Amino acid sequence: LAQGCLGSSKPLSFCFAFASNSGNMSSGGQRPPANRMTLQTFKGRLGGAQKGFRLLKKKRDALKARFQALLKDIVDAKLQVGNGLKDAAFSLAKAHWANSGDDITSTVVERAKRPSVLCKLVAENVAGVSIPVFKMSHDPTKDASAQTLGVAHGGAVINACRETYFKAVTQLVRLASLQTAFKTLDEEIKMTSRRVNALEYVLIPRIEDTIAYITQEMDEQSREEFFRVKKVVEKKKAKLAREKNQAESAAAASGKPTGQAIDAPSMFDDKDSDL
């Protein structure tokens, strides 16, 4: 069980099913056989369940600590995104004004042949949980066609607008990464909490109840065995006494000595006259 808790979710679900089946065997109408082998088996399961419970509890605490740290980062990222988009919209309005009031959106779309900003999805490991993280990569060589935009007039304002939007996109990608990690951690914390509660309040008490039942049954069997041996010894003693009485009665009826001590005269009772 503890080994499954350290690994992926599949071995963990398997060990939970294994522990559930062992618990159902003891909680239902069918009880396990009360012997030392079964007792050792359930003690091993109890040790594994307790170790898995401690590991899952540590994992939940680590995820909660990371979850609380993400809250502050998300709040800061949202404020930065709001300010960045506001500055980007104001820069676009200035670019339109600098370009004699003409809309430059169609010209920018026409010159954008290849994307210069790409996002890659990578995984970050936090307490055995893979959290998706977005990484943004920028290739300035692909912006060569857009850099000549507004050469006649308003070129500096348009370049400033492009830089402002680039910063806003960077902040958006960071916010999307934080939000995705936040949602993933929230689901993982809920699932880990359910497993911790299942171990603490269902599986471990069920296995402990089974161990207590087996121990009680073994003690009862020991008392029964002791009482049985005691009765057997008493019956054997009674049988031997009865056979002895019958033998003595038969010997007395036939006139034969019964095996009791005979008072024979001693040779030292007669005194020698020469002494």
Side-chain angles (χ1 to χ4, degrees), residues 19 56 90 155 221 245 251:
L56 283 176
F90 184 68
Q221 289 176 5
N245 293 332

Coordinates of all heavy atoms in Angstrom, one line a residue, residues 19 56 90 155 221 245 251:
A19 N -7.1 -3.1 -0.2 CA -7.4 -2.8 1.2 C -9.0 -2.9 1.5 O -9.4 -3.3 2.5 CB -6.9 -1.5 1.7
L56 N 0.5 10.1 2.4 CA -0.5 10.9 1.8 C -0.8 12.2 2.5 O -1.1 13.2 1.9 CB -1.8 10.1 1.6 CG -1.9 9.0 0.5 CD1 -3.1 8.2 0.6 CD2 -1.7 9.7 -0.8
F90 N -4.4 51.7 -24.8 CA -4.0 53.1 -25.0 C -2.9 53.3 -26.0 O -3.0 54.3 -26.8 CB -3.6 53.7 -23.6 CG -3.3 55.2 -23.6 CD1 -4.3 56.1 -23.8 CD2 -2.0 55.6 -23.5 CE1 -4.1 57.4 -23.8 CE2 -1.8 57.0 -23.5 CZ -2.8 57.9 -23.7
G155 N 6.2 55.5 -36.9 CA 6.9 54.2 -36.7 C 7.3 54.0 -35.3 O 7.1 52.9 -34.8
Q221 N -10.1 -19.4 21.9 CA -9.6 -20.8 21.5 C -8.6 -21.3 22.6 O -8.6 -22.5 22.9 CB -9.0 -20.8 20.1 CG -10.0 -20.6 19.0 CD -9.4 -20.5 17.7 OE1 -8.1 -20.7 17.5 NE2 -10.2 -20.3 16.6
N245 N -9.8 -48.7 42.7 CA -10.8 -49.2 43.6 C -11.3 -50.5 43.2 O -11.6 -51.4 44.0 CB -11.9 -48.2 43.8 CG -11.4 -46.9 44.4 OD1 -10.5 -46.9 45.2 ND2 -12.1 -45.8 44.1
A251 N -9.4 -57.9 44.7 CA -8.3 -58.6 45.5 C -8.9 -58.9 46.9 O -8.6 -60.0 47.5 CB -7.1 -57.7 45.6

